[in-house]
Amino acid sequence: TRVMHTNNMTNIGTRVMTQLHKLLWLTLTAIGNRRLVAVVRRLVPVYRDTIFYFEPPMVNGKKLVALTIDDGLSRGGTETSMVKNVVDILAKYNATATFFVCVKYCTGDEEMKQATRDLLHVHGHELGNHMSIDISRYYSRLNEQDFCNEFEACNSALQDLVKDDDDDESQLPYRIRWYRAPQGIYTRAMKQVLDNRGNVSIRHVLGDCYCDDWALACQDSAFVYKTTMRQVRQGSILITHMPEKNTNREAILNVLERLLCDLDSQGYRCVSLGEMWDICNEQHAHSDGA
């Protein structure tokens, strides 16, 4: 009886927390994510150079959004991988994406390594740096030198990983253009490391369309999909997470497909950050520094 009572209380607590979590996102969405971006950039100077969204022109009658997918490729390796499912859905809607991958999640076995290479060389997507592992508040506590060491090690590991077997040794390594701080916590130390890279620039990117899909999709995937769609604007950067089999992230696949289907029907095309950057002539919504 005590066990049943404890379980019931736990379930009630979970439902209450889920409802509060959803209320938070309903409130933020009602306020408007771009308004919130303006507040964040004003109050927290370190985010002033962060890319949150773009202001692109229409291309062939299509509006554009940049699609980004975090925590690739699979935290559980091959056993939980849904890379093929994601790639197939992206191809179905003629979408390209930037995968913010964690080194340990795409180098655990040969199948994951090959899947990572195929994202670039076969499917035409791109990679961004999301550090070695998406762990809470670890990287945000590092000083500048320690972060630099880990950051550059991840860049080098990804470049080595995706090197094509047929690549000429004289060719330049794959250029990683984007960084997303784990949990979105960007620090002065991180900014200084990125600023110090000079001409070999890597830009910090967050987004303006997000709804904690990693936590809420398994509880209410329809809510995540509808809330995210309410946030979408021309030039938005959409943040999703990589779905994984047999975990609470599996339902993200359904959310992703519904998003791509509705975006397509509403005249949007999903592109990678690199494509969006080139279309916008290497400018984003805050390129003037305002």
Side-chain angles (χ1 to χ4, degrees), residues 34 51-59 62-68 96-98 124 126 177-178 203 205 208-209 232-238 268-285 287:
R34 293 192 179 182
I51 302 175
F52 289 93
Y53 58 91
F54 293 90
E55 295 175 341
M58 300 273 283
V59 176
K62 288 276 192 179
K63 295 173 284 188
L64 300 175
V65 296
L67 177 60
T68 66
T96 53
T98 300
E126 72 173 350
R177 304 166 72 180
W178 317 108
R203 291 173 173 82
V205 181
D208 63 335
C209 292
V232 173
R233 302 288 185 273
Q234 163 76 328
S236 283
I237 299 175
L238 199 158
Y268 286 93
R269 178 170 171 253
C270 291
V271 299
S272 67
L273 289 168
E275 290 176 86
M276 183 75 86
W277 183 253
D278 293 339
I279 289 168
C280 294
N281 296 314
E282 300 188 354
Q283 298 288 311
H284 60 94
S287 290

Side-chain angles (χ1 to χ4, degrees), residues 5 33 63 74 109 120 138 167 260 269 277:
H5 176 72
N33 285 2
K63 295 173 284 188
S74 175
D109 56 56
L120 272 67
Y138 169 71
D167 280 352
L260 290 176
R269 178 170 171 253
W277 183 253

Side-chain angles (χ1 to χ4, degrees), residues 69-71 73-75 80-83 85-86 89 99 213 240-245 247-254 256:
I69 303 176
D70 286 5
D71 294 356
L73 286 179
S74 175
R75 293 173 304 162
T80 61
S81 174
M82 299 184 76
V83 177
N85 306 76
V86 171
I89 289 173
F99 288 78
D213 55 347
T240 64
H241 286 80
M242 197 69 182
E244 296 170 343
K245 288 185 294 187
T247 73
N248 63 347
R249 298 190 180 196
E250 187 165 3
I252 296 174
L253 186 71
N254 178 55
L256 179 62

Side-chain angles (χ1 to χ4, degrees), residues 120-285:
L120 272 67
H121 303 304
V122 177
H123 306 296
H125 303 294
E126 72 173 350
L127 302 182
N129 185 339
H130 202 38
M131 301 307 290
S132 180
I133 185 172
D134 191 9
I135 186 171
S136 179
R137 297 187 178 276
Y138 169 71
Y139 297 104
S140 61
R141 295 174 178 171
L142 296 179
N143 62 38
E144 183 180 331
Q145 188 58 60
D146 288 343
F147 174 75
C148 182
N149 292 340
E150 297 217 24
F151 179 73
E152 296 298 351
C154 288
N155 285 332
S156 296
L158 290 176
Q159 289 173 328
D160 290 343
L161 174 62
V162 301
K163 182 176 174 58
D164 195 308
D165 291 338
D166 296 329
D167 280 352
D168 188 322
E169 289 296 329
S170 64
Q171 290 182 350
L172 294 174
Y174 174 73
R175 182 185 171 193
I176 298 168
R177 304 166 72 180
W178 317 108
Y179 168 64
R180 177 169 288 156
Q183 294 86 51
I185 303 173
Y186 192 48
T187 66
R188 292 179 182 177
M190 294 177 184
K191 184 178 186 306
Q192 192 62 50
V193 169
L194 267 62
D195 288 349
N196 288 344
R197 299 186 102 252
N199 293 331
V200 191
S201 60
I202 295 180
R203 291 173 173 82
H204 184 239
V205 181
L206 291 177
D208 63 335
C209 292
Y210 180 57
C211 189
D212 276 346
D213 55 347
W214 63 272
L216 290 173
C218 62
Q219 302 287 340
D220 190 345
S221 62
F223 173 82
V224 175
Y225 145 73
K226 290 176 183 177
T227 304
T228 305
M229 282 302 301
R230 287 177 58 196
Q231 299 170 355
V232 173
R233 302 288 185 273
Q234 163 76 328
S236 283
I237 299 175
L238 199 158
I239 302 172
T240 64
H241 286 80
M242 197 69 182
E244 296 170 343
K245 288 185 294 187
N246 304 318
T247 73
N248 63 347
R249 298 190 180 196
E250 187 165 3
I252 296 174
L253 186 71
N254 178 55
V255 173
L256 179 62
E257 180 152 28
R258 293 185 70 181
L259 285 172
L260 290 176
C261 180
D262 271 23
L263 287 168
D264 183 66
S265 68
Q266 293 182 24
Y268 286 93
R269 178 170 171 253
C270 291
V271 299
S272 67
L273 289 168
E275 290 176 86
M276 183 75 86
W277 183 253
D278 293 339
I279 289 168
C280 294
N281 296 314
E282 300 188 354
Q283 298 288 311
H284 60 94

